[in-house]
Amino acid sequence: MPHWTIHLFRKGLRLHDNPTLLAALESSEVVYPVYILDRKFLMSAMNMGTLRWHFLLQSLEDLQRNLTKLGSCLLVIQGEYESVLRDHVKKWNITQVTLDAEIEPFYKEMERTIQVLGGEMGFDVLSLMGHTLYDIRRILDMNGGTPPLTYKRFLHILSVLGDPDMPVRNLTAEDFQRCKPPPELCLAECYRVPLPEDLEIPRESQSPWRGGETEGLQRLEQHLKNQGWIANFTKPKTIPNSLLPSTTGLSPYFSLGCLSVRSFFYRLSNIYAQSKNHSLPPVSLQGQLLWREFFYTVASATPNFTKMAGNPICLQINWYQDAERLHKWRMAQTGFPWIDAIMTQLHQEGWIHHLARHAVACFLTRGDLWISWEEGMKVFEEMLLDADYSINAGNWMWLSASAFFHQYTRIFCPVRFGKRTDPEGQYIRKYLPVLTNFPSKYIYEPWTAPEEAQKQAGCIIGQDYPLPMINHKEASDRNLQLMKQVREEQYGTAQLTREPRADTKMQICICDH
């Protein structure tokens, strides 16, 4: 018998290439598209900041509009997800719940709870992978039940598996018309997407990224028009302090599943097929999708992946605990304009270039402050629109040289790095207006400007803008010795995620910027 189904959106906030929603529509007489807004769960599991909340609500509004065009509607129900589900399974005589399978521990636990509830209440549960290129479980099985811990080993397994599954067909109005719920008084109005003020979230949002599938697809199509740029994209050559993103800027849409990674993968494949010469993984755009897949795979089967303690692939480092220094880094008060401009952009927009992330992460951890990568990961989790359990933790372990990255002697200079691609300091002037009038030769090191130059610029260092909080040369030299000692003492752990020596060139290509 056809099911009466709740399709439970979690991520996957889109209608294109949505295999789980398609399966729900094809197996059901009635489908209720539902998003359970469980604020307590979201805050405890993901620590979402204001800009992320805005992006989520915008994405839900867009999903609602797109469903309405197809004759359906999104039902946003606020409350604790288990009690909400229990109530509405009874209310709507539900026989099936469908949802995307996810790899995060908190989503796995949610799915287990729903499975138990299904056994108790008599409904089936169907979950399919829709957020990654491959079914991560197949990759683990091919590697003997454990995650491949190096990119080379990971690519070897993918070569055996072959290309990812093709995207599924587009959904139609006929699909939803066939599965329309019975008329119910004010269904759409009773379950509308809440406004920010309904959730006591400040309305102000300066981010240039607007959430939703529609916006994500528009950005995707805009980039795909420039086939030469797509074919020749090389990530290390993009510019971290350009005033507009020099990468695709699609990551927030992949993070919430507003865009399908499989659709993007195959659109890229079509462009590559028409190009005689194109960039290759790991630095190509497809290579970036494979890095994403790599971190998802490792995170899915590594205990305590977002922590140092109890994490078997992570070096156990005695980081400093310094709340005052951490606060200065978080609040863009380090006294290094390049670092502070990046953190200001993060606060204001919820996005920063990947090389800018490298710079501030290195500064916080092994470069200067010797503060745990977990603290930086929490700040990124709160503020980044593209914050992602697997990629965020994986990159922080990488950039702190706690796992994956082993060229630990390469430390980003908080002065020279930014100056290389923006010698006039336009990026600093945009995000730190207090320094706008400094001559270019002082903009990265304003503390070196003569007093008269500071007066003319209208900014006295140590008064209107902080002095550097640390001596970079002394701190980085000290930290280098600390890291060398850690790696000698924990040689076995360090080797777990290390590529064979012949592949160090690949790692330098990715990380030595």
Side-chain angles (χ1 to χ4, degrees), residues 34-245:
V34 168
Y35 183 89
I36 299 176
L37 187 58
D38 185 341
R39 295 185 68 188
K40 184 178 179 182
F41 169 79
L42 287 172
M43 290 305 294
S44 62
M46 292 176 243
N47 187 32
M48 288 170 54
T50 299
L51 293 181
R52 288 189 67 193
W53 274 106
H54 278 284
F55 194 85
L56 171 62
L57 294 177
Q58 290 162 3
S59 298
L60 294 173
E61 288 169 0
D62 183 69
L63 182 59
Q64 169 67 296
R65 284 192 294 270
N66 291 338
L67 281 166
T68 301
K69 290 174 187 174
L70 296 180
S72 183
C73 70
L74 178 67
L75 309 174
V76 178
I77 311 173
Q78 296 190 53
E80 192 271 324
Y81 74 88
E82 185 178 352
S83 62
V84 164
L85 205 52
R86 186 182 291 275
D87 291 346
H88 287 79
V89 163
K90 288 180 183 176
K91 182 177 182 181
W92 294 332
N93 300 312
I94 294 301
T95 62
Q96 177 178 251
V97 171
T98 59
L99 69 165
D100 283 352
E102 305 291 357
I103 64 95
E104 295 87 345
F106 43 86
Y107 278 136
K108 286 181 178 177
E109 180 61 30
M110 178 189 286
E111 185 173 338
R112 282 192 292 269
T113 301
I114 293 171
Q115 293 276 7
V116 170
L117 194 60
E120 175 193 330
M121 299 186 72
F123 61 81
D124 295 339
V125 179
L126 172 68
S127 66
L128 301 173
M129 283 281 185
H131 198 61
T132 49
L133 290 171
Y134 295 85
D135 185 332
I136 298 297
R137 293 165 293 199
R138 290 185 64 207
I139 300 175
L140 297 175
D141 289 344
M142 288 286 294
N143 199 52
T146 62
L149 296 179
T150 67
Y151 192 65
K152 182 179 180 181
R153 175 64 184 164
F154 175 74
L155 292 182
H156 170 71
I157 291 172
L158 296 193
S159 71
V160 176
L161 285 175
D163 288 337
D165 290 341
M166 294 289 290
V168 300
R169 70 169 176 85
N170 288 334
L171 305 175
T172 66
E174 288 74 23
D175 290 318
F176 287 98
Q177 185 62 39
R178 193 179 63 251
C179 299
K180 199 166 185 140
E184 185 174 327
L185 192 63
C186 75
L187 194 63
E189 181 57 33
C190 292
Y191 298 107
R192 67 177 177 82
V193 179
L195 298 171
E197 51 264 39
D198 296 333
L199 305 178
E200 299 180 345
I201 295 168
R203 251 207 176 281
E204 299 76 25
S205 173
Q206 301 178 52
S207 178
W209 275 263
R210 181 167 184 83
E213 178 182 20
T214 303
E215 176 75 15
L217 287 171
Q218 287 173 354
R219 286 173 177 263
L220 176 63
E221 294 302 328
Q222 193 64 37
H223 281 293
L224 292 176
K225 286 179 186 175
N226 190 347
Q227 295 196 5
W229 182 83
I230 291 286
N232 297 308
F233 178 93
T234 304
K235 191 162 186 181
K237 294 181 181 177
T238 55
I239 300 172
N241 41 9
S242 59
L243 297 182
L244 295 171

Side-chain angles (χ1 to χ4, degrees), residues 174-317:
E174 288 74 23
D175 290 318
F176 287 98
Q177 185 62 39
R178 193 179 63 251
C179 299
K180 199 166 185 140
E184 185 174 327
L185 192 63
C186 75
L187 194 63
E189 181 57 33
C190 292
Y191 298 107
R192 67 177 177 82
V193 179
L195 298 171
E197 51 264 39
D198 296 333
L199 305 178
E200 299 180 345
I201 295 168
R203 251 207 176 281
E204 299 76 25
S205 173
Q206 301 178 52
S207 178
W209 275 263
R210 181 167 184 83
E213 178 182 20
T214 303
E215 176 75 15
L217 287 171
Q218 287 173 354
R219 286 173 177 263
L220 176 63
E221 294 302 328
Q222 193 64 37
H223 281 293
L224 292 176
K225 286 179 186 175
N226 190 347
Q227 295 196 5
W229 182 83
I230 291 286
N232 297 308
F233 178 93
T234 304
K235 191 162 186 181
K237 294 181 181 177
T238 55
I239 300 172
N241 41 9
S242 59
L243 297 182
L244 295 171
S246 58
T247 54
T248 65
L250 297 176
S251 54
Y253 303 95
F254 289 126
S255 178
L256 262 188
C258 301
L259 283 180
S260 157
V261 288
R262 293 193 306 191
S263 294
F264 189 38
F265 182 91
Y266 278 104
R267 296 289 296 276
L268 292 174
S269 292
N270 292 338
I271 291 173
Y272 292 159
Q274 299 168 35
S275 176
K276 289 183 179 178
N277 298 301
H278 60 81
S279 55
L280 297 170
V283 296
S284 65
L285 281 172
Q286 270 193 349
Q288 302 313 304
L289 294 181
L290 296 180
W291 275 113
R292 175 185 188 270
E293 202 83 357
F294 170 72
F295 281 132
Y296 266 74
T297 304
V298 179
S300 72
T302 300
N304 302 302
F305 188 72
T306 59
K307 298 179 174 62
M308 179 182 74
N311 184 338
I313 66 171
C314 182
L315 293 175
Q316 304 297 299
I317 297 174

Side-chain angles (χ1 to χ4, degrees), residues 373-447:
W373 60 269
E374 290 181 60
E375 299 298 338
M377 179 192 69
K378 291 172 189 173
V379 172
F380 275 22
E381 181 182 42
E382 177 187 346
M383 297 185 186
L384 278 174
L385 297 179
D386 59 20
D388 185 295
Y389 173 90
S390 306
I391 301 168
N392 193 20
N395 277 330
W396 273 96
M397 279 188 275
W398 181 299
L399 295 167
S400 64
S402 295
F404 306 113
F405 178 61
H406 304 277
Q407 308 296 316
Y408 68 92
T409 58
R410 300 175 184 275
I411 290 175
F412 297 90
C413 174
V415 174
R416 292 194 305 273
F417 185 26
K419 190 185 289 188
R420 225 169 51 191
T421 51
D422 180 22
E424 298 301 311
Q426 294 304 320
Y427 177 81
I428 291 172
R429 297 177 202 280
K430 176 179 179 179
Y431 290 104
L432 298 180
V434 69
L435 300 177
T436 296
N437 297 322
F438 267 86
S440 297
K441 68 177 182 178
Y442 298 125
I443 192 78
Y444 284 88
E445 302 173 275
W447 61 90

